[in-house]
Amino acid sequence: QQQVKQSPQSLIVQKGGISIINCAYENTAFDYFPWYQQFPGKGPALLIAIRPDVSEKKEGRFTISFNKSAKQFSLHIMDSQPGDSATYFCAAHPGGNQFYFGTGTSLTVIP
Amino acid sequence: SQTIHQWPATLVQPVGSPLSLECTVEGTSNPNLYWYRQAAGRGLQLLFYSVGIGQISSEVPQNLSASRPQDRQFILSSKKLLLSDSGFYLCACLRAQGEKLFFGSGTQLSVL
């Protein structure tokens, strides 16, 4: 059973547009929600993360919106650039050893 | 901050040959260590994780095994590779009492 559901599978955005990737979870024990960015042939890199006690976290052009009641969180990439083209993974961590990853979203930003 | 060393970056092996991938971590002690596999264009599949020396948890029964001979060393092995073992193998590290999971640069394994 997929603990974290991620959509869309792929996304094409024009340069300068907003990219939005959504994730949903069921387990209320999750208390840390990171997003990872992965370029081809590289390991995933931690991009930004949020805890459920805040509704939004912003770092530069990247923003996480968190809706605790709906058990949903999303990554917004403002002013998307071709260099943002990568695969993005959301994840959830209940503490301890386990991380649960979404299935990934392949983002392509076209000039 | 910790650094994760993974090698080799790419590996081409014939079916039936053995495998040994090594991951070492610097800058932290007593970390949790993980092996993930990623098929082309797919998500992250957890293979093994370890909370300490000699302690290995297997998430997926398969042709692979893992060992942790030292605190900051994690090894992924196989006695006889299968075609289905091809993929991108990633080592990851979670600091003790931490919440941030960091990944190594990965090994692209092609079994032919």
Side-chain angles (χ1 to χ4, degrees):
Chain A
Q1 181 183 0
Q2 191 71 26
Q3 295 267 0
V4 179
K5 296 181 180 178
Q6 183 172 347
S7 63
Q9 185 175 355
S10 62
L11 182 61
I12 300 174
V13 175
Q14 290 272 6
K15 178 182 175 182
I18 302 173
S19 303
I20 302 174
I21 304 170
N22 301 299
C23 286
Y25 65 97
E26 286 296 328
N27 188 345
T28 56
F30 294 147
D31 63 1
Y32 178 71
F33 300 87
W35 283 89
Y36 288 83
Q37 179 189 56
Q38 185 181 27
F39 293 106
K42 305 294 184 183
L46 181 61
L47 185 62
I48 187 173
I50 198 168
R51 289 189 167 278
D53 53 350
V54 298
S55 60
E56 185 176 283
K57 184 172 182 181
K58 184 176 181 180
E59 291 185 3
R61 295 185 294 108
F62 299 90
T63 300
I64 301 178
S65 296
F66 191 88
N67 186 329
K68 188 173 180 178
S69 61
K71 299 179 189 173
Q72 295 174 348
F73 58 110
S74 59
L75 176 69
H76 296 237
I77 306 174
M78 312 301 288
D79 187 27
S80 298
Q81 299 296 312
D84 297 330
S85 298
T87 299
Y88 293 81
F89 292 95
C90 62
H93 179 46
N97 309 317
Q98 295 292 348
F99 284 80
Y100 298 92
F101 286 88
T103 50
T105 296
S106 176
L107 172 65
T108 303
V109 181
I110 53 178
Chain B
S1 61
Q2 71 259 349
T3 303
I4 302 172
H5 299 281
Q6 241 190 286
W7 67 92
T10 59
L11 189 60
V12 180
Q13 292 284 99
V15 170
S17 64
L19 173 74
S20 181
L21 298 181
E22 187 166 343
C23 170
T24 59
V25 179
E26 295 179 355
T28 187
S29 296
N30 195 32
N32 285 2
L33 297 175
Y34 303 77
W35 279 112
Y36 286 86
R37 177 170 62 197
Q38 191 174 27
R42 304 295 294 276
L44 297 161
Q45 180 188 31
L46 178 63
L47 302 176
F48 302 94
Y49 72 91
S50 171
V51 300
I53 295 173
Q55 301 179 64
I56 309 294
S57 295
S58 174
E59 292 295 306
V60 182
Q62 59 208 326
N63 185 42
L64 302 169
S65 62
S67 62
R68 186 167 176 178
Q70 301 180 43
D71 180 48
R72 287 172 285 183
Q73 184 184 30
F74 203 23
I75 297 172
L76 183 69
S77 304
S78 174
K79 292 182 179 178
K80 289 185 177 182
L81 284 168
L82 305 173
L83 287 172
S84 57
D85 292 324
S86 294
F88 191 49
Y89 288 82
L90 290 155
C91 178
C93 171
L94 178 69
R95 300 173 72 110
Q97 311 305 321
E99 60 187 8
K100 294 182 179 180
L101 185 68
F102 292 97
F103 287 87
S105 55
T107 294
Q108 183 64 53
L109 172 66
S110 298
V111 182
L112 305 177

